[in-house]
Amino acid sequence: MSETPKRTDICLPSEKHVVLTWKVKLGSHVQQGETIAMCCLEEDAEVARSKIASSASTATKSTHKRPKRGRRLIPSPASIAAAKTAKPLPAQPIDSNTTHNLHQKLAERLAKSKPSAAAENKASDETLDDSTPITTEDEHEKATVSATTKKAPKESVQTTPILSPVNGFVHESKDEATNGVIGYIEECLHPGFVGGLCVVCGTAKLEIDGNDNDLSPNSSSLTGNSEPRQKNTLVTVSGGVTVSISQQESQEMAKLDIERLLGIKKLCLVLDLDHTLLHATADPRAQPLCESNDDVRTLRLPIVMEAQPNGQTQPSQQPVFMTHYVKLRPHLKEFLNSVRDAYELSVYTAGTRQYAEEITIILCRHLVGTKLDMLELEKLRYATFVAQQEYETQVRLEKKRKSDSNEGADEGGADSKQAVKRKKVSFGVDEVKTYNTTSSADANAPVEKKTAEVLKTKLDELKAELSKGEEMEKEAQKLRQSIFGSRVVSRTDVGDLGRDVKSLRRIFPCGGTMAAVLDDREDVWANASDNSETTRKGEPPSNLLLVKPYHFSAFQGFADVNNAAGVDLSASNQSTETEENDIQLIWTGQILKDLHTLYYSQQNGTRQTVPQLLSRMRKNVLKGTNLVLSGLVPLNRDVLLPDAPRPTIVRYAESLGAQLQKNVDVSVTHVVAAKDGTDKAIAARKFPRTVLIKPSWLMECYWSMSRRRSLAHLMTPIPSRSSSPVPMPKPAEAAEESSDDEDDLAAEFEEELMNY
């Protein structure tokens, strides 16, 4: 049930009073005790309104005029000379009669300016209307009284202020005032808070919470049904601002989002960055890989805080930048192009906000096809500037040499044949590193002589490359705004959750019924305390699409930029994997395509949510299979409580629709074993229809949401004990082999000592 704001009537002091004017704008928020209107008695209303109108017109007419600046007169030289030669006037003695004469003159002027009594009577007679004939003495007396009344000053009208009884928004009554009610004040429902203040009325949240604790259950701070105020939900909106919104407001936001997405036939997709779409490191040993790999990008981020020797941290005086190296996952371009038209993409990462913003631009540069990141673009701009300076310098030098040679030819004679000694001047141009460096193979090649034509060709090439790079950079920035917009959430925006927690309600207040999440870690989503009621506590939500953690083989051993990757249960079985074998994004792109088609093929009345559709799609993967797990579930977790989280491998198998059994029998189709040689693995070989398989098969089925072929994941058979024994070597051969081994060991030991 939605909250309805409580209304408080605004009443006049009595029925004889009327409203003169409103002191606040209707619809604005007022505090308790604030003056909202002025009223007076009905008999004085006309006089009061005329006074208000006259004061308003006077205030309108009185406009501020800028004072004129006095013109400064400059004396002429003749007046200055005359002032110097002028003699001072002799001082005149002041007698006692001088002051008396001044007072007498002032009194005479005042007497002349003050009209006499006869003049006043004459003026009063002239105020009468000459056009109206006066017939009787009574009418003459009435006219005289009315003229005197008009001239007399008006008496002051007593007005009464109307104060606001409560905090809220002022609204005027649509009907005429009945029973002295002229309007009402509607309380604020406080739909959201930013920085501890209400986004509508500006009231502090601490003040509201304090009033809720102090007031009775029937107070105005509660809803109309005397129910306590519902707990607010934290939501991170555009730009990384966290807003605390009410339950009613969150439902309204979810309703508007659903209507908007249905109108454009899109769904929401939340993307993680590290080990999902890319692998990033700040290790400087990764720098040579940028030249050999086109999809290894670079970005520079400032280090805001610096560690001090005493253990404290403080902002650095000069910004220190660190270079990050980013390897994009294979098939990333195809994946983004396939989902960006059907999904509204958002980013939710454990990195900082500046890191997330830069990564989204790198992704869009990869989409438009440019290989120049911001660092390379700055180098290209500097190389173009240096080439421009070098070309202009060379042009000036050649002009100077040409003019000198022409002068020498015109002079002639023996003196002109003598060599002119000139001082060699170096402008330092050759010492500047250019953008296009020569390789080591061309180091011994003859140095090309620098002429204006050669430098002009080089400059034109750099300008063309720079123009193309800047044009593609603008295209990438425009594409980034089109794909991601301001839908980026980082760990700095949700610092209150912690580093290893991600909450879906932070971006979707009602749980994201039309959203899918792509991440390599499911524990961060399972750690959230505000998951939906249908999700078992300690388990991730159903709309999470788990992907295989991505590790670039050349970055192995380098420290990661942000948090660690997710757990890969198949890593021990597939240690050698190349870039060509990573087709995770192709799997995920197909899943999202099928999800979008399935969602919008439903009828509006019986439409299932995205979590429900994903659960249904998973159930069909291993439907009809009976599995037995061997060496994958700890013994202390075989028996679980009803509400306890399931072991990871058990949850994967059950969510894919497989039936789990404890013992191997004829009905078992697959035995998923961590290692060979266990009792269950040996029992699986006794049944011809039972497949002994590695956990990597189950993980690929879960990552791809499809039934994978089991041939590449079969457990290698153990050699049978009944087979023919291995022939033992003869004693002489054994002695020979042992002596050779001893000689090799001694040689290795001696070599170690020499190197040491």
Side-chain angles (χ1 to χ4, degrees):
M1 182 178 178
S2 61
E3 286 186 75
T4 55
K6 185 177 179 180
R7 294 182 177 183
T8 304
D9 293 335
I10 305 172
C11 302
L12 293 170
S14 67
E15 295 182 357
K16 297 181 179 180
H17 284 75
V18 293
V19 178
L20 287 177
T21 180
W22 291 91
K23 288 294 184 180
V24 295
K25 187 178 180 180
L26 296 177
S28 61
H29 187 269
V30 295
Q31 300 291 332
Q32 184 178 3
E34 184 179 349
T35 302
I36 57 177
M38 299 296 295
C39 65
C40 69
L41 294 174
E42 189 175 1
E43 57 188 14
D44 299 334
E46 187 176 353
V47 179
R49 289 193 180 99
S50 62
K51 288 183 64 176
I52 293 173
S54 62
S55 61
S57 62
T58 305
T60 306
K61 290 180 181 179
S62 59
T63 57
H64 175 72
K65 293 183 179 180
R66 184 177 179 181
K68 296 181 179 179
R69 282 184 76 178
R71 185 178 178 184
R72 185 178 178 184
L73 298 177
I74 302 175
S76 60
S79 60
I80 294 174
K84 289 181 178 180
T85 56
K87 296 181 179 180
L89 297 174
Q92 298 181 0
I94 300 175
D95 55 357
S96 59
N97 295 329
T98 305
T99 306
H100 176 71
N101 295 335
L102 291 175
H103 283 289
Q104 187 176 1
K105 290 181 180 180
L106 289 174
E108 291 177 356
R109 289 184 180 179
L110 289 174
K112 289 181 180 179
S113 61
K114 185 177 180 181
S116 61
E120 287 183 0
N121 294 334
K122 185 178 180 181
S124 62
D125 293 339
E126 290 176 354
T127 56
L128 298 177
D129 192 0
D130 296 336
S131 62
T132 305
I134 301 175
T135 57
T136 61
E137 294 181 359
D138 295 338
E139 293 178 357
H140 178 75
E141 184 177 357
K142 289 180 181 179
T144 307
V145 170
S146 62
T148 309
T149 306
K150 289 182 181 179
K151 188 178 179 181
K154 298 178 182 178
E155 297 181 358
S156 60
V157 179
Q158 184 177 1
T159 58
T160 305
I162 301 177
L163 306 181
S164 173
V166 292
N167 300 342
F169 298 93
V170 181
H171 297 280
E172 189 178 10
S173 180
K174 296 181 180 179
D175 302 330
E176 295 184 359
T178 56
N179 298 327
V181 178
I182 60 173
Y184 59 91
I185 295 180
E186 190 176 66
E187 71 169 355
C188 180
L189 294 178
H190 309 297
F193 294 88
V194 176
L197 299 178
C198 177
V199 295
V200 178
C201 64
T203 307
K205 191 175 187 299
L206 294 176
E207 181 181 347
I208 298 170
D209 295 341
N211 294 337
D212 290 346
N213 295 331
D214 297 339
L215 295 175
S216 62
N218 297 326
S219 61
S220 62
S221 65
L222 304 181
T223 60
N225 296 332
S226 298
E227 297 177 357
R229 191 183 300 275
Q230 296 178 352
K231 187 178 180 181
N232 288 7
T233 304
L234 294 177
V235 179
T236 303
V237 296
S238 301
V241 180
T242 300
V243 183
S244 174
I245 62 174
S246 62
Q247 189 69 22
Q248 180 183 359
E249 190 68 20
S250 64
Q251 293 174 358
E252 291 292 332
M253 289 176 59
K255 183 180 178 181
L256 293 175
D257 282 341
I258 291 174
E259 292 177 355
R260 179 179 57 84
L261 291 173
L262 290 176
I264 58 178
K265 288 190 176 183
K266 280 190 176 184
L267 297 176
C268 293
L269 179 61
V270 182
L271 299 173
D272 177 56
L273 296 179
D274 293 285
H275 300 291
T276 301
L277 302 181
L278 50 93
H279 186 186
T281 182
D283 198 308
R285 291 177 293 177
Q287 196 275 334
L289 299 172
C290 299
E291 301 176 359
S292 58
N293 294 273
D294 295 337
D295 50 356
V296 175
R297 304 303 185 103
T298 59
L299 63 96
R300 298 186 69 198
L301 296 178
I303 303 176
V304 181
M305 305 295 291
E306 285 188 349
Q308 302 297 326
N310 56 3
Q312 298 180 356
T313 57
Q314 62 181 11
S316 59
Q317 300 296 331
Q318 295 181 354
V320 179
F321 290 87
M322 177 178 288
T323 304
H324 295 70
Y325 305 95
V326 180
K327 172 62 173 66
L328 302 179
R329 191 163 194 162
H331 310 289
L332 177 60
K333 186 174 183 179
E334 295 86 346
F335 169 73
L336 292 177
N337 285 330
S338 64
V339 300
R340 69 177 186 176
D341 293 332
Y343 288 84
E344 194 175 69
L345 303 183
S346 304
V347 171
Y348 196 163
T349 178
T352 61
R353 180 159 194 84
Q354 190 171 3
Y355 171 81
E357 295 284 354
E358 291 293 334
I359 289 295
T360 54
I361 297 176
I362 287 178
L363 296 179
C364 293
R365 291 193 190 112
H366 184 58
L367 288 179
V368 300
T370 178
K371 299 179 181 179
L372 296 178
D373 293 321
M374 187 55 65
L375 187 60
E376 283 77 13
L377 200 60
E378 290 296 331
K379 290 181 180 179
L380 183 58
R381 290 193 183 103
Y382 180 72
T384 307
F385 171 76
V386 171
Q388 179 72 29
Q389 298 294 323
E390 189 177 6
Y391 169 70
E392 293 176 356
T393 303
Q394 186 66 26
V395 169
R396 289 195 299 268
L397 288 176
E398 290 186 0
K399 287 183 178 180
K400 183 67 175 175
R401 290 169 186 166
K402 187 175 181 180
S403 62
D404 291 345
S405 61
N406 292 336
E407 291 177 1
D410 294 339
E411 289 178 1
D415 295 338
S416 63
K417 296 180 181 180
Q418 295 179 358
V420 180
K421 294 183 179 180
R422 299 182 183 277
K423 184 178 179 181
K424 186 178 180 181
V425 180
S426 175
F427 294 94
V429 177
D430 295 337
E431 299 177 0
V432 179
K433 295 182 180 180
T434 58
Y435 183 73
N436 296 325
T437 57
T438 58
S439 61
S440 58
D442 300 335
N444 299 326
V447 180
E448 185 179 2
K449 186 178 180 181
K450 291 185 178 181
T451 61
E453 295 181 359
V454 174
L455 295 178
K456 184 68 168 60
T457 305
K458 178 183 175 182
L459 178 61
D460 292 341
E461 293 176 356
L462 289 176
K463 282 185 176 181
E465 187 178 357
L466 179 60
S467 177
K468 183 179 178 181
E470 289 180 342
E471 184 179 352
M472 298 188 76
E473 178 67 19
K474 291 180 181 178
E475 186 179 352
Q477 295 284 351
K478 185 178 179 181
L479 185 62
R480 183 243 176 263
Q481 186 63 29
S482 173
I483 295 179
F484 297 102
S486 56
R487 297 179 297 275
V488 177
V489 180
S490 63
R491 77 161 183 262
T492 53
D493 304 327
V494 291
D496 56 306
L497 291 179
R499 191 181 184 91
D500 294 330
V501 179
K502 288 183 178 180
S503 173
L504 199 59
R505 291 185 180 272
R506 275 301 176 93
I507 43 182
F508 304 106
C510 291
T513 57
M514 295 182 66
V517 182
L518 196 66
D519 204 331
D520 67 301
R521 291 183 61 176
E522 57 183 9
D523 58 323
V524 293
W525 299 97
N527 293 336
S529 59
D530 55 355
N531 287 330
S532 62
E533 297 178 357
T534 58
T535 303
R536 186 179 294 188
K537 187 176 181 181
E539 294 185 1
S542 301
N543 45 1
L544 172 64
L545 289 174
L546 186 68
V547 299
K548 183 177 182 179
Y550 174 62
H551 298 278
F552 184 40
S553 57
F555 286 177
Q556 295 296 327
F558 298 168
D560 294 333
V561 173
N562 298 307
N563 58 354
V567 179
D568 184 2
L569 297 179
S570 66
S572 58
N573 297 312
Q574 291 183 353
S575 57
T576 59
E577 183 177 1
T578 60
E579 291 289 309
E580 293 78 9
N581 296 335
D582 189 349
I583 55 174
Q584 175 64 65
L585 293 182
I586 296 179
W587 294 340
T588 308
Q590 185 62 40
I591 295 170
L592 293 172
K593 182 180 178 181
D594 296 341
L595 175 63
H596 184 271
T597 304
L598 188 60
Y599 185 87
Y600 281 101
S601 63
Q602 303 177 105
Q603 300 296 330
N604 292 333
T606 59
R607 193 184 294 274
Q608 289 183 320
T609 62
V610 169
Q612 293 173 347
L613 290 177
L614 287 175
S615 299
R616 195 176 81 183
M617 292 169 64
R618 290 192 185 99
K619 285 288 184 181
N620 296 328
V621 175
L622 297 181
K623 187 177 181 180
T625 60
N626 296 331
L627 301 184
V628 172
L629 304 178
S630 174
L632 295 172
V633 180
L635 296 177
N636 59 345
R637 299 193 65 184
D638 282 344
V639 181
L640 298 175
L641 297 175
D643 297 334
R646 295 167 291 178
T648 305
I649 198 72
V650 173
R651 177 164 47 84
Y652 291 163
E654 291 181 350
S655 63
L656 293 176
Q659 297 293 329
L660 293 180
Q661 296 182 198
K662 289 188 176 181
N663 300 319
V664 182
D665 54 20
V666 183
S667 62
V668 174
T669 58
H670 297 78
V671 174
V672 183
K675 59 181 180 179
D676 202 352
T678 61
D679 294 339
K680 294 179 180 179
I682 294 172
R685 289 194 171 91
K686 296 179 180 179
F687 301 98
R689 295 185 179 181
T690 303
V691 181
L692 183 60
I693 204 163
K694 301 175 184 178
S696 57
W697 172 77
L698 185 61
M699 292 303 303
E700 282 196 5
C701 292
Y702 192 78
W703 289 329
S704 64
M705 209 177 292
S706 62
R707 190 163 182 171
R708 310 303 300 171
R709 297 184 62 182
S710 58
L711 185 61
H713 306 277
L714 293 177
M715 191 75 71
T716 55
I718 296 178
S720 177
R721 296 182 180 179
S722 61
S723 59
S724 58
V726 179
M728 297 296 294
K730 296 179 180 180
E733 294 176 356
E736 238 177 64
E737 290 177 2
S738 63
S739 62
D740 292 338
D741 294 339
E742 289 176 0
D743 293 343
D744 294 338
L745 182 62
E748 290 177 2
F749 181 72
E750 184 178 1
E751 185 177 0
E752 260 182 302
L753 289 177
M754 293 297 293
N755 294 334
Y756 185 79

